[in-house]
C-alpha cells in the first residue's frame, strides 16, 4: 500500500513537472513563431516596413533576419517599380524626360527642318 502511494505521488510530481515544461516550451517557441507569422502576413499585405528584433534562439534569430532582409528587398523592389511606373505614366501623358523633346515638339522640329 505504501508503495502505491509513493508511486502515485511520483507520478503526480512527474505530471506537474511535464505540464510546467510544456508551458515554458510553448512560451519560448510559440510566441516568437507567432511574431514571425504575423510579420510574414504583414509583408503579404504590402507592409514592408515591419521588422522583427532578434530572438534568443539562434535558429529563430536567423529566420527573423532573413525575413527582415526579404522585407527590405521587397520594399526596394516596390520603390523601383513605382519610379518606373511614374516615368512610364509621364511619358504616356506627353511629359518630358529632361531635355528630350516631346513627340509633338519632335514633329514640329522635323517638319520645319524638311521645309
Amino acid at each position: 500500500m505504501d508503495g502505491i502511494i509513493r508511486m502515485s505521488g511520483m507520478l503526480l510530481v512527474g505530471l506537474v513537472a511535464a505540464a510546467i515544461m510544456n508551458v515554458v516550451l510553448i512560451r519560448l517557441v510559440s510566441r516568437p513563431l507567432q511574431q514571425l507569422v504575423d510579420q510574414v502576413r504583414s509583408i503579404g499585405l504590402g507592409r514592408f516596413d515591419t521588422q522583427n528584433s532578434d530572438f534568443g534562439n539562434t535558429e529563430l534569430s536567423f529566420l527573423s533576419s532573413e525575413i527582415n532582409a526579404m522585407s527590405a528587398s521587397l520594399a526596394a523592389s516596390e520603390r523601383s517599380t513605382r519610379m518606373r511606373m511614374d516615368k512610364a505614366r509621364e511619358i504616356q501623358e506627353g511629359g518630358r524626360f529632361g531635355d528630350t523633346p516631346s513627340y509633338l515638339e519632335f514633329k514640329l522640329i522635323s517638319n520645319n527642318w524638311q521645309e
Side-chain angles (χ1 to χ4, degrees):
M1 183 76 163
D2 212 20
I4 294 175
I5 293 175
R6 187 177 304 152
M7 187 90 101
S8 297
M10 288 174 52
L11 182 62
L12 183 62
V13 168
L15 286 174
V16 169
I20 291 171
M21 286 296 291
N22 189 29
V23 169
V24 168
L25 288 176
I26 286 173
R27 288 185 184 218
L28 287 175
V29 174
S30 292
R31 283 186 182 166
L33 282 178
Q34 187 59 49
Q35 287 177 340
L36 292 173
V37 167
D38 292 344
Q39 181 185 12
V40 170
R41 283 186 182 144
S42 181
I43 291 169
L45 295 173
R47 292 188 294 254
F48 303 124
D49 58 342
T50 308
Q51 297 284 309
N52 263 329
S53 59
D54 283 342
F55 299 103
N57 183 318
T58 305
E59 290 83 6
L60 291 178
S61 291
F62 177 73
L63 181 59
S64 177
S65 67
E66 291 299 311
I67 291 172
N68 289 340
M70 176 188 69
S71 179
S73 177
L74 287 170
S77 178
E78 182 184 35
R79 280 190 303 274
S80 175
T81 300
R82 283 187 182 176
M83 285 184 353
R84 284 183 285 167
M85 291 301 292
D86 289 344
K87 287 291 183 187
R89 193 173 296 111
E90 182 181 329
I91 291 168
Q92 281 182 332
E93 293 172 353
R96 296 174 60 177
F97 259 146
D99 292 334
T100 307
S102 68
Y103 176 75
L104 292 175
E105 291 172 326
F106 181 74
K107 284 300 248 179
L108 286 172
I109 293 169
S110 65
N111 285 341
N112 290 336
W113 183 72
Q114 290 176 355
E115 292 178 356

